[in-house]
């Protein structure tokens, strides 16, 4: 039997859970995010397929989503409910006896040995639906990268196989940002080099990419374009790489004294999370979103890993000093990263 990586992704997860709780909303555009109030600041966590038809996407400000889809139903995030439903899904997947690597609320990898991965994918879908009434899509790949990309081709509620055999048939003429981890900025830089497709990126000179994008990034995007990736799926429980807190302010902060005060509060809260985790922080990162919507992040490695709230707070304030205090601020965040 052959080894396969399956990527299971719950379709429109948060919205789907809310539709189970509120069946009268089926067929309507539903947007889940923040406190569920588009007049307040917050971002879209999930949009139903009906809302996506209006151009609503995850990460979009709620106010923008409301402009694009004024008839949408907005609902607040209910993390406790999503955690409980997600746990049932993952328990259902584990019943198949394969290693299950949980990636988040709504997705996981399975490593399986089978001669018919499509049949197994169908069994997974039926089991998840029986346990939770939720639909999922399943990507089949000969590595993790291809399996995860395959899932999008199977949505909604479908199955798709992407392997070495059909990689270029499916991906060759797509833009580089069709690859996981290749964003719009990198795609623009590649275009300046005359590289506008996955095929062209895969055929590019690896050393030239290293010179343009750095010794790590350059070879990495070349590697991705060829569809290469890891095949191992680990059932080891997820261990957080960091703990952090952030706040979106309903009114912009216009004085740097207010910004410093809020950073100190967030740093103390992040330090409480670090203490709860039982591991010291090795690095502190501060995120500032200036009005209207420009985000910057800076970080510092601590001299010695620590869980001391005063040290984490001071580090956050030191990092804050790297930002230019000349613009109004709409969001602040502090993240404490653990040693790896």
């Amino acid at each position: 039997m052959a080894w396969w990586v399956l990527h299971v992704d719950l379709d429109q997860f948060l919205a789907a859970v809310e539709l189970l709780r509120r069946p009268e909303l089926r067929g309507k555009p539903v947007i889940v995010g923040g406190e569920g109030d588009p007049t307040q600041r917050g971002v879209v966590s999930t949009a139903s397929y009906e809302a996506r038809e209006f151009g609503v996407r995850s990460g979009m400000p709620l106010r923008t989503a409301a402009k694009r889809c004024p008839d949408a139903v907005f609902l607040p995030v209910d993390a406790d409910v999503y955690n409980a439903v997600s746990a049932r899904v993952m328990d259902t997947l584990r019943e198949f006896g394969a290693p299950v690597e949980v990636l988040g609320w709504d997705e996981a990898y399975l490593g399986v040995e089978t001669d018919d991965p499509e049949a197994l994918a169908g069994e997974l879908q039926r089991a998840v639906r029986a346990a939770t009434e939720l639909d999922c899509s399943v990507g089949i790949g000969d590595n993790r990268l291809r399996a995860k990309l395959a899932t999008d081709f199977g949505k909604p509620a479908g199955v798709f196989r992407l392997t070495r055999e059909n990689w270029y048939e499916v991906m060759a003429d797509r833009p580089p940002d069709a690859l996981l981890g290749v964003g719009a900025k990198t795609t623009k830089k590649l275009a300046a080099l005359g590289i506008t497709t996955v095929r062209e990126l895969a055929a590019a000179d690896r050393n030239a990419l290293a010179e343009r994008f750095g010794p790590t990034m350059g070879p990495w995007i070349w590697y991705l374009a060829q569809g290469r990736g890891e095949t191992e799926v680990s059932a080891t429980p997820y261990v957080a790489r960091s703990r952090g807190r952030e706040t979106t302010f309903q009114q912009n902060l216009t004085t740097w004294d207010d910004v410093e005060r809020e950073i100190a509060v967030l740093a103390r809260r992040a330090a409480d999370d670090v203490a709860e985790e039982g591991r010291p922080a090795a690095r502190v990162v501060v995120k500032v979103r200036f009005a209207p919507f420009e985000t910057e992040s800076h970080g510092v490695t601590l001299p010695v890993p620590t869980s001391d709230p005063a040290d984490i707070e001071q580090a956050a304030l030191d990092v804050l000093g790297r930002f230019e205090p000349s613009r109004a601020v709409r969001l602040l965040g502090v993240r404490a990263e653990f040693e790896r």
Side-chain angles (χ1 to χ4, degrees), residues 9-15 30-34 42-49 51-62 64-65 68 74 77 105-107 152 155 289 293:
D9 193 338
L10 293 159
D11 297 331
Q12 56 175 15
F13 176 56
L14 307 191
V30 174
I31 298 171
V32 181
V43 298
V44 175
S45 295
T46 297
S48 68
Y49 289 118
R52 295 179 195 183
E53 292 178 0
F54 291 85
V56 178
R57 295 291 182 268
S58 296
M60 176 181 291
L62 292 176
T64 302
R68 293 194 178 186
F74 286 82
V77 173
W105 272 338
D106 60 349
E107 60 177 328
D152 284 340
K155 286 182 174 291
R289 179 166 295 153
F293 209 81

Side-chain angles (χ1 to χ4, degrees), residues 280-297:
R283 180 176 169 82
V284 174
V285 178
V286 172
K287 178 168 77 172
V288 178
R289 179 166 295 153
F290 295 102
F293 209 81
E294 182 179 337
T295 305
E296 295 181 18
S297 296

Side-chain angles (χ1 to χ4, degrees), residues 231-247:
T231 60
E232 181 181 356
V233 175
S234 173
T236 303
Y238 172 75
V239 177
R241 295 181 178 179
S242 64
R243 297 293 296 270
R245 295 297 185 106
E246 65 178 44
T247 299

Side-chain angles (χ1 to χ4, degrees), residues 123-195:
E123 292 179 28
L124 291 170
Q125 289 176 314
R126 290 188 289 275
V128 169
R129 182 157 186 79
T132 65
E133 298 184 67
L134 296 175
D135 288 323
C136 64
S137 299
V138 181
I140 301 170
D142 47 8
N143 62 38
R144 293 163 64 102
L145 170 68
R146 288 171 175 150
K148 189 169 173 65
L149 285 172
T151 310
D152 284 340
F153 293 107
K155 286 182 174 291
V159 176
F160 193 87
R161 183 194 293 203
L162 184 60
T163 66
R164 181 176 59 185
E165 282 69 30
N166 67 340
W167 172 255
Y168 288 110
E169 175 187 342
V170 175
M171 299 296 298
D173 296 326
R174 297 180 184 274
D177 58 6
L179 300 168
L180 295 171
V182 179
K185 290 183 179 179
T186 301
T187 297
K188 185 176 181 180
K189 292 177 182 177
L190 287 167
L193 299 175
I195 299 171

Side-chain angles (χ1 to χ4, degrees), residues 249-290:
F249 303 100
Q250 296 307 313
Q251 299 295 327
N252 291 340
L253 301 182
T254 56
T255 72
W256 208 245
D257 286 343
D258 288 340
V259 172
E260 290 177 342
R261 184 184 67 251
E262 295 295 339
I263 283 292
V265 171
L266 290 169
R268 290 276 176 168
R269 291 177 179 170
D272 290 342
D273 295 336
V274 168
E276 181 181 315
E277 191 74 24
R279 294 183 288 152
R283 180 176 169 82
V284 174
V285 178
V286 172
K287 178 168 77 172
V288 178
R289 179 166 295 153
F290 295 102

